[in-house]
Amino acid sequence: MKGLLLKDFYILIKQMKLVLLLIMLFALLPQFSYTTFVLVYVSVIPVTLLAYDERSKWNKLALTMPYTRSEIVLSKYVFGILFIGSAALLVFIGNYIYTGVFMDVSELKELLLFSCISIATVSLLLPVVFKFGVEKGRILFILITVFFSALLAFISSDNGALFDKFTLFTEQYPFFIPLFTAVLLALSILTSVSIYIKKDF
Amino acid sequence: MTAIEIKNLTKRYKDFTLDNINLTLPTGCVMGLIGENGAGKTTTIKLISGLTAPDSGEIFVLGQNNKKNFKQVKEDIGVVLDEAYFPEAISAKQVSNIMKNTFRNWDETAFFSYLEKLSLPPKKAFKDFSRGMKMKLSIAVALSHNAKLLILDEPTSGLDPVVRDEILDIFFDFIKDEQHAILISSHIVSDLEKLCDYIAFLHKGKLLICEEKDKLLEQHAILKCRKEDLDNLPSGVVKGCRNGEYGTEALVRREAVPAGFKLERATIEDIFLYSVKSAKEGKA
């Protein structure tokens, strides 16, 4: 699978320089609302990579090489999660540079929460794109993005009262969000693989 | 050992059916898949490579059913598809790095010497390659991981005659090893005539002929005569004919022609064209 990840890395470096630059810039800015942007934006990277694959019909070629179909699907998830992890790390470092101290526990929890939201977004997007392709999947993709934005807006409205409730809930059940994300991710991978295995190229 | 064995292979599309194909390619041999555009060459190759699943039938590649543990087998296969589908932004050098992490037996030295031999720039982005260069890169990749079997879908189309010749030479070199085999499709029949041991004719999803090249050439001949002479020949002799202004030219079964007729050597192209013509006329 290393070859597939390396290929995606090359495409990212060569064709998405601007996106990378923006992500770095916002990650290093000292405002948590930007990090939200960063992590949500990062979650569309696997979809963008799939769009490039679709355009060059790379999948045909990859299938003639020693890869199973499951590996090809899995590589997109692995890449996405690695990238979300890197972005979170970048935010962490940015915070240190700005404040001079490391994040405290509550800030770290928040970072973890947003990372989980990104992974959940990837989990929702990828099966749709594997099924319908990037073009047709785009409409659903917009719907999902709107849904998440609305959710975020809803959570942060009400002078943060709801957000406090939510925080309280996650304090009481600290493993709920990560666990929920993990289950969603697992289901998503299984769905994508079963879609991809049936595809004719 | 057989390199490729196809049994009762059928694949249905809305407007096209690949119909009950049977063929066997022994190791040490080259098989040419000849057919018009849309005859089913690419579909056959996609089915063998596992890009597409058949509706029925079985395919064995290097002795292994291509539905089971095919990943392992793919280490030993070099595939050139009808087009080169590399990502636009990457260079040949990056392709090598990707393949190093893909094929266990990736041979970087071989790859770069092919790049030089085929005058491909290592650092140029793939999107700036000409069509010929793209195909050459595909061929270089297929040849640089010690494959035992090459599956090539029109690898020489879009290439100029000089390069085509160079590439055919590379294939000749490859097939010197008796463990190796090549399946190659093309509509440049003269290329295949030089290279192949077996010839398979596809027409509208059906396999018209699959035979050793030498046998085909031995069995067939071209007869030029007047139309009346042709009509007097016993039935089953003439496999296809073309009436021209100055007489008739026909593809005939050499052994069945009575003595006294002057026969000329038939080329694979003749045999192909007449077979397709008579298939179209419903004789075959």
Side-chain angles (χ1 to χ4, degrees):
Chain A
M1 196 195 292
K2 258 161 63 193
L4 294 173
L5 295 176
L6 186 63
K7 186 224 76 186
D8 280 345
F9 180 71
Y10 283 144
I11 294 180
L12 195 69
I13 297 286
K14 285 223 172 177
Q15 306 208 278
M16 293 190 239
K17 279 197 198 97
L18 193 68
V19 175
L20 283 181
L21 207 71
L22 273 178
I23 286 173
M24 284 189 51
L25 190 72
F26 279 103
L28 296 173
L29 277 178
Q31 256 277 336
F32 214 79
S33 59
Y34 294 128
T35 62
T36 322
F37 164 80
V38 169
L39 292 172
V40 171
Y41 206 92
V42 158
S43 59
V44 305
I45 294 279
V47 176
T48 316
L49 287 169
L50 270 171
Y52 281 111
D53 282 359
E54 222 170 76
R55 197 159 75 187
S56 63
K57 297 186 184 154
W58 159 263
N59 280 298
K60 285 190 184 186
L61 193 62
L63 282 169
T64 68
M65 295 172 190
Y67 292 115
T68 62
R69 291 190 176 218
S70 314
E71 277 177 314
I72 293 174
V73 171
L74 209 56
S75 77
K76 285 289 178 288
Y77 285 91
V78 170
F79 197 89
I81 290 166
L82 280 177
F83 206 78
I84 290 166
S86 314
L89 189 69
L90 205 63
V91 169
F92 180 78
I93 294 169
N95 186 272
Y96 177 73
I97 293 171
Y98 182 68
T99 60
V101 288
F102 289 115
M103 285 178 163
D104 60 21
V105 176
S106 76
E107 281 172 323
L108 276 176
K109 273 186 181 165
E110 229 166 314
L111 189 60
L112 179 70
L113 172 69
F114 283 115
S115 304
C116 284
I117 291 176
S118 302
I119 293 173
T121 314
V122 170
S123 305
L124 288 175
L125 289 179
L126 281 182
V128 175
V129 177
F130 276 118
K131 176 79 186 173
F132 298 107
V134 175
E135 278 307 316
K136 284 189 209 155
R138 188 156 286 163
I139 301 161
L140 262 139
F141 164 60
I142 292 167
L143 285 179
I144 290 171
T145 314
V146 167
F147 173 75
F148 269 96
S149 313
L151 192 70
L152 276 176
F154 183 64
I155 289 173
S156 19
S157 68
D158 202 11
N159 262 339
L162 202 69
F163 193 73
D164 288 343
K165 264 190 207 164
F166 186 69
T167 321
L168 200 68
F169 176 77
T170 52
E171 300 246 308
Q172 272 179 321
Y173 307 99
F175 297 112
F176 176 75
I177 296 283
L179 206 68
F180 177 77
T181 308
V183 171
L184 193 66
L185 179 66
L187 284 176
S188 170
I189 292 173
L190 288 175
T191 314
S192 294
V193 168
S194 71
I195 289 168
Y196 197 75
I197 277 179
K198 286 186 209 115
K199 267 196 166 177
D200 268 359
F201 287 93
Chain B
M1 184 98 130
T2 54
I4 298 176
E5 192 176 0
I6 298 179
K7 288 180 184 167
N8 307 319
L9 182 69
T10 298
K11 173 77 184 177
R12 286 182 205 92
Y13 292 100
K14 260 179 239 148
D15 46 358
F16 173 76
T17 301
L18 192 71
D19 197 4
N20 200 25
I21 304 291
N22 286 284
L23 59 83
T24 305
L25 170 64
T27 44
C29 295
V30 184
M31 181 180 280
L33 211 51
I34 302 178
E36 306 133 280
N37 295 325
K41 303 185 298 274
T42 298
T43 305
T44 308
I45 280 171
K46 282 203 279 191
L47 285 161
I48 297 170
S49 320
L51 266 65
T52 301
D55 290 321
S56 60
E58 281 180 311
I59 303 168
F60 295 87
V61 183
L62 299 170
Q64 177 84 37
N65 189 319
N66 79 347
K67 279 182 184 158
K68 290 169 202 149
N69 300 324
F70 200 44
K71 179 183 171 180
Q72 205 54 43
V73 182
K74 284 194 280 189
E75 293 274 1
D76 295 325
I77 311 175
V79 183
V80 174
L81 294 169
D82 52 351
E83 267 171 62
Y85 298 116
F86 292 102
E88 289 179 348
I90 65 171
S91 65
K93 193 167 180 296
Q94 288 171 327
V95 166
S96 175
N97 291 337
I98 294 168
M99 296 308 152
K100 208 193 297 175
N101 289 290
T102 296
F103 288 102
R104 205 178 303 134
N105 294 324
W106 181 251
D107 186 343
E108 210 172 0
T109 324
F111 180 71
F112 282 105
S113 77
Y114 279 125
L115 289 190
E116 204 166 309
K117 196 172 177 185
L118 300 169
S119 38
L120 290 170
K123 287 193 177 149
K124 201 173 183 170
F126 183 70
K127 63 171 182 294
D128 298 325
F129 276 30
S130 68
R131 180 175 155 74
M133 286 160 82
K134 287 179 178 175
M135 283 319 270
K136 287 197 280 184
L137 182 63
S138 271
I139 292 166
V141 170
L143 284 161
S144 300
H145 56 92
N146 292 306
K148 291 185 184 130
L149 168 66
L150 293 182
I151 299 175
L152 312 163
D153 195 358
E154 308 215 1
T156 52
S157 73
L159 301 179
D160 64 72
V162 179
V163 176
R164 241 166 59 204
D165 212 50
E166 277 172 26
I167 286 180
L168 286 181
D169 278 343
I170 294 174
F171 294 157
F172 271 116
D173 262 351
F174 176 84
I175 203 65
K176 273 182 195 156
D177 187 328
E178 298 216 332
Q179 299 299 310
H180 289 177
I182 304 179
L183 178 72
I184 177 171
S185 87
S186 183
H187 46 228
I188 306 169
V189 183
S190 56
D191 281 358
L192 295 185
E193 186 158 2
K194 279 183 250 172
L195 185 67
C196 295
D197 306 297
Y198 287 84
I199 298 285
F201 290 154
L202 273 174
H203 176 64
K204 289 190 175 165
K206 287 198 164 65
L207 191 63
L208 292 183
I209 296 174
C210 180
E211 185 62 271
E212 275 179 57
K213 179 185 74 186
D214 292 340
K215 269 194 192 159
L216 272 181
L217 292 175
E218 249 169 55
Q219 286 166 355
H220 295 88
I222 292 290
L223 172 65
K224 285 179 181 160
C225 60
R226 288 181 302 151
K227 195 171 180 319
E228 301 88 78
D229 294 338
L230 204 65
D231 291 339
N232 289 332
L233 284 174
S235 66
V237 175
V238 178
K239 298 195 85 174
C241 70
R242 179 163 40 196
N243 297 312
E245 219 174 304
Y246 302 105
T248 295
E249 191 185 286
L251 181 75
V252 294
R253 277 175 43 224
R254 186 182 283 273
E255 46 164 33
V257 177
F261 285 97
K262 192 168 168 286
L263 296 177
E264 285 171 27
R265 186 182 173 276
T267 62
I268 293 295
E269 185 143 4
D270 293 329
I271 301 171
F272 172 62
L273 289 175
Y274 281 110
S275 304
V276 169
K277 195 164 181 271
S278 57
K280 275 183 181 161
E281 287 159 6
K283 278 190 218 161

